[in-house]
Amino acid sequence: MKIDLTDTTASKINKGLVKARRAIGTPAVGMVLTLVVVTDEENAYDALKAANDASREHPSRTLVVIKRVSRSPRDRTQSRLDAEVRVGTDAGSGETVVLRLYGEVSDHAQSVVLPLLLPDAPVVVWWSVDAPRDPANDPLGALSQRRVTDSYAAEKPVDELRSRAESYEPGDTDLAWARITPWRSMLAAALDQVDSEIVSVEVAGEESNPSVELLAMWLADRLHVHVRRAVSAGPGLTQVRLETTGGPITLHRSDGAMATLALPGQPDRAVALKRRETSELLAEELRRLDPDDTYASALRFGVDRLGGIQSAAERAEAAAQPTPALPVRAVTEAAPASASGSSPSSASGSGSASASASASASQGDTDRPTPAKMPPVKKADPQ
């Protein structure tokens, strides 16, 4: 059921929700949270569809905030709020209110959203596009316990990761991080099956894919070894190769659906590693409302500590050399060992041995670019 409200108020919208629930015979409210989706008109359909699909796992009141840009100066001074109330099959397993803000009211979206929040229920804000530089201090972000952004939707994803590291607050998360959850789980399971020390790591994927950067930072942060960032044609992440004292461990995916896991002394095996839809990523983030310390640690490791990018052609040329130099994108500083361990799994080897391997590898870093040759960027605080 849909109810259109033109030039309305928050009070009339609440009355419209009650009327719609009674009309379909479900007067009780069974929502577990309020999901605020901030988007634009161009991406509203996809964002709303993803939110509705995610609500089948997490019944919620979804408030879609769309700020409409007025064409003339006179229209920009005239405030108006239009709303569309959806319940039943038109709103997944919850209820949806699409809010279109015109004029000056678009600068005060939090005043419109606040009266529509479910009482005593957690609030999650998701920016599908154009996320603020500091989500925690954004007027809408200040209303929420969990703030979801998507670095992949940014014009410059790597710069977006730097901004996220600088402004991180507990409760911040990124759909680019959720995209690598299956990769992290698979790699941790693979390391449980070997008893070798990790010497170095290479992560290959699309050049402007923040998930590749996050996976590389996570591995560097947890393993304290050199991590090389290589470029491939994609789609998305394509390969992770871990060089160990017992032989290489590789996880390769070329088609975005099935991957091949190769372990030393074991036959290759096919594993499901499908690229997931936005609704699945959003549903994963809604499962937890507590701070994600692992994401925070990987993010604060710093994308700049990974250096430059090496293409597939450059890697092939380097491999043909009799004494290949270390790739450009190598970690130049190991993070201190944490109390939680030095690897993604408890069976991946001792932290001291991994640190010594990093120290021995760093003695031959003469061929890697010096910090002066790297682009001038502000590093995130690792603390």
Side-chain angles (χ1 to χ4, degrees):
M1 179 178 181
K2 296 182 182 180
I3 299 177
D4 289 324
L5 300 172
T6 303
D7 196 7
T8 186
T9 63
S11 176
K12 293 179 181 179
I13 294 173
N14 272 318
K15 292 179 181 178
L17 285 169
V18 174
K19 178 181 177 181
R21 287 198 301 266
R22 289 177 176 173
I24 64 174
T26 56
V29 179
M31 312 299 151
V32 299
L33 57 86
T34 302
L35 175 62
V36 181
V37 182
V38 185
T39 184
D40 56 19
E41 200 68 65
E42 179 182 358
N43 298 278
Y45 175 83
D46 292 334
L48 183 56
K49 184 178 184 303
N52 286 344
D53 291 343
S55 72
R56 302 186 187 282
E57 182 176 339
H58 309 277
S60 58
R61 173 177 288 182
T62 302
L63 306 177
V64 183
V65 178
I66 304 175
K67 299 180 181 180
R68 297 297 299 268
V69 178
S70 301
R71 296 186 178 183
S72 66
R74 184 181 63 181
D75 291 339
R76 285 194 287 270
T77 61
Q78 296 177 355
S79 299
R80 193 179 91 220
L81 170 63
D82 293 345
E84 183 180 327
V85 177
R86 302 181 183 185
V87 295
T89 56
D90 294 315
S93 296
E95 54 192 25
T96 300
V97 180
V98 181
L99 303 168
R100 288 182 170 85
L101 284 61
Y102 298 82
E104 294 180 352
V105 72
S106 62
D107 296 327
H108 305 280
Q110 72 279 6
S111 300
V112 178
V113 169
L114 185 59
L116 301 176
L117 301 179
L118 290 173
D120 301 323
V123 179
V124 179
V125 178
W126 170 39
W127 290 270
S128 66
V129 290
D130 299 330
R133 185 178 183 85
D134 189 352
N137 290 323
D138 181 81
L140 282 174
L143 301 175
S144 65
Q145 288 77 41
R146 190 79 164 164
R147 297 165 294 276
V148 184
T149 59
D150 190 356
S151 299
Y152 191 78
E155 184 178 354
K156 297 180 179 179
V158 176
D159 291 343
E160 190 77 2
L161 290 179
R162 295 190 185 101
S163 298
R164 295 286 158 260
E166 293 172 358
S167 63
Y168 176 82
E169 293 290 341
D172 291 353
T173 189
D174 195 327
L175 292 187
W177 175 253
R179 288 184 179 95
I180 63 174
T181 298
W183 285 81
R184 294 191 294 120
S185 301
M186 197 69 65
L187 291 171
L191 290 175
D192 278 334
Q193 302 179 48
V194 297
D195 188 16
S196 303
E197 296 298 331
I198 310 297
V199 178
S200 64
V201 180
E202 180 182 84
V203 180
E206 294 174 333
E207 181 174 357
S208 297
N209 192 313
S211 295
V212 184
E213 308 287 345
L214 282 170
L215 183 61
M217 289 190 287
W218 174 71
L219 289 168
D221 180 53
R222 303 299 293 175
L223 297 175
H224 310 291
V225 297
H226 289 279
V227 177
R228 298 182 291 272
R229 166 70 165 94
V231 175
S232 67
L237 270 162
T238 55
Q239 178 173 283
V240 176
R241 181 182 178 91
L242 298 91
E243 297 290 347
T244 74
T245 55
I249 299 174
T250 61
L251 182 60
H252 178 74
R253 183 186 69 178
S254 59
D255 59 357
M258 295 296 296
T260 301
L261 176 64
L263 299 174
Q266 299 184 25
D268 295 352
R269 65 194 73 173
V271 294
L273 210 60
K274 182 182 178 182
R275 303 188 74 190
R276 297 182 293 169
E277 300 291 335
T278 303
S279 58
E280 299 176 74
L281 304 174
L282 185 61
E284 177 184 324
E285 293 298 341
L286 295 179
R287 291 186 195 120
R288 60 177 302 170
L289 299 177
D290 58 315
D292 191 339
D293 295 333
T294 306
Y295 165 69
S297 180
L299 187 66
R300 286 172 169 165
F301 180 86
V303 66
D304 299 322
R305 293 167 71 179
L306 296 175
I309 295 178
Q310 186 183 42
S311 65
E314 291 171 338
R315 283 185 294 140
E317 182 180 355
Q321 299 296 327
T323 56
L326 286 174
V328 172
R329 196 163 194 124
V331 178
T332 58
E333 178 184 355
S338 62
S340 60
S342 60
S343 70
S345 66
S346 59
S348 62
S350 64
S352 60
S354 297
S356 62
S358 297
S360 61
S362 63
Q363 294 175 357
D365 289 349
T366 56
D367 291 326
R368 266 186 279 136
T370 63
K373 296 180 181 179
M374 292 183 180
V377 289
K378 182 179 179 181
K379 294 188 177 182
D381 186 0
Q383 298 298 326

